[in-house]
């Protein structure tokens, strides 16, 4: 994709209002989409320098490290965001996804459930919990456990309201079978 227009807009906005943390985060996201991670990190750090307790910036830093698969740093920043705003469903779900990537499935499930309790209409939390599988099942019993859990999740999805989260429209819930 061509991100040049979005990048130009963000830079123009920063020229008008230098140091605007929201625009700095948006520019960082645009740069990350272009895999320009060093520049993105600079903008996130600049936003953080203005307010070290800005939950949006802390969460953006968690996402930055998750995108690079630096799970320990991603977890550290997500926990900092949650220390500032503990009831932030998006940060809880991000941390749950980080746990899933680390193979910490029980913590991931608990996190997705907590996010869903805070945002019951956001089906992304249900989908992520449902589609969560261990990195490598260690036994036939564990495979059976996860297959059953996955089946129950699909049943829950079928009984839930119609999908509203655009980010999940392409997921095939039957891919495990």
């Amino acid at each position: 994709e061509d991100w040049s227009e979005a990048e130009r807009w963000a830079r123009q906005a920063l020229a008008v209002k230098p140091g605007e943390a929201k625009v700095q985060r948006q520019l960082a996201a645009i740069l990350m989409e272009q895999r320009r991670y060093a520049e993105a990190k600079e903008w996130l750090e600049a936003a953080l320098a203005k307010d070290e307790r800005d939950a949006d910036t802390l969460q953006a830093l968690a996402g930055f490290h998750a995108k690079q698969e630096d799970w320990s740093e991603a977890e550290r920043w997500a926990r900092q965001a949650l220390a500032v705003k503990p009831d932030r469903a998006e940060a809880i779900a991000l941390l749950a996804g980080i746990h899933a990537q680390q193979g910490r499935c029980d913590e991931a499930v608990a996190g997705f459930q907590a996010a869903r309790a805070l945002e019951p209409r956001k089906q992304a939390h249900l989908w992520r919990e449902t589609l969560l599988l261990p990195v490598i099942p260690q036994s036939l019993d564990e495979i059976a456990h996860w297959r059953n859990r996955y089946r129950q999740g699909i049943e829950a999805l079928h009984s839930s309201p119609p999908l509203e989260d655009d980010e999940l429209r392409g997921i095939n819930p039957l891919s495990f079978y």
Side-chain angles (χ1 to χ4, degrees):
E1 289 185 52
D2 183 13
W3 290 95
S4 60
E5 183 72 20
E7 182 179 348
R8 187 165 37 81
W9 172 87
R11 290 187 187 278
Q12 287 175 348
L14 285 171
V16 172
K17 199 167 183 184
E20 179 65 33
K22 182 176 181 178
V23 180
Q24 289 172 322
R25 287 190 304 273
Q26 289 172 339
L27 179 56
I30 291 163
L31 294 169
M32 281 191 290
E33 287 297 324
Q34 299 174 70
R35 292 188 166 90
R36 294 164 54 190
Y37 296 114
E39 290 175 79
K41 187 175 183 182
E42 288 175 16
W43 285 107
L44 290 172
E45 288 172 347
L48 188 64
K50 288 192 69 93
D51 182 359
E52 292 182 357
R53 293 189 46 81
D54 178 48
D56 292 327
T57 302
L58 294 167
Q59 184 175 323
L61 279 159
F64 169 83
H65 288 285
K67 188 143 181 116
Q68 295 183 82
E69 299 182 4
D70 183 353
W71 305 118
S72 61
E73 277 298 291
E75 180 176 357
R76 182 173 77 84
W77 288 107
R79 288 193 184 282
Q80 286 187 37
L82 288 167
V84 174
K85 289 191 177 177
D87 290 337
R88 188 179 193 132
E90 190 176 322
I92 292 169
L94 176 60
L95 182 58
I98 292 164
H99 287 155
Q101 291 297 325
Q102 295 171 320
R104 296 160 54 188
C105 294
D106 291 340
E107 291 171 87
V109 167
F112 290 132
Q113 289 172 346
R116 194 165 34 123
L118 291 168
E119 292 180 337
R121 295 190 47 81
K122 185 164 184 178
Q123 293 174 323
H125 307 313
L126 175 60
W127 276 84
R128 289 184 182 115
E129 177 190 345
T130 298
L131 298 175
L132 176 66
L133 293 171
V135 177
I136 300 174
Q138 300 297 313
S139 68
L140 291 177
D141 288 340
E142 192 173 335
I143 291 170
H145 163 79
W146 284 97
R147 183 182 176 99
N148 184 49
R149 196 182 156 291
Y150 197 76
R151 184 189 48 75
Q152 290 172 347
I154 290 172
E155 289 171 5
L157 289 171
H158 283 292
S159 64
S160 69
L163 183 63
E164 295 176 9
D165 297 323
D166 288 337
E167 67 190 81
L168 300 173
R169 289 199 188 278
I171 294 178
N172 177 1
L174 301 177
S175 61
F176 182 71
Y177 295 98

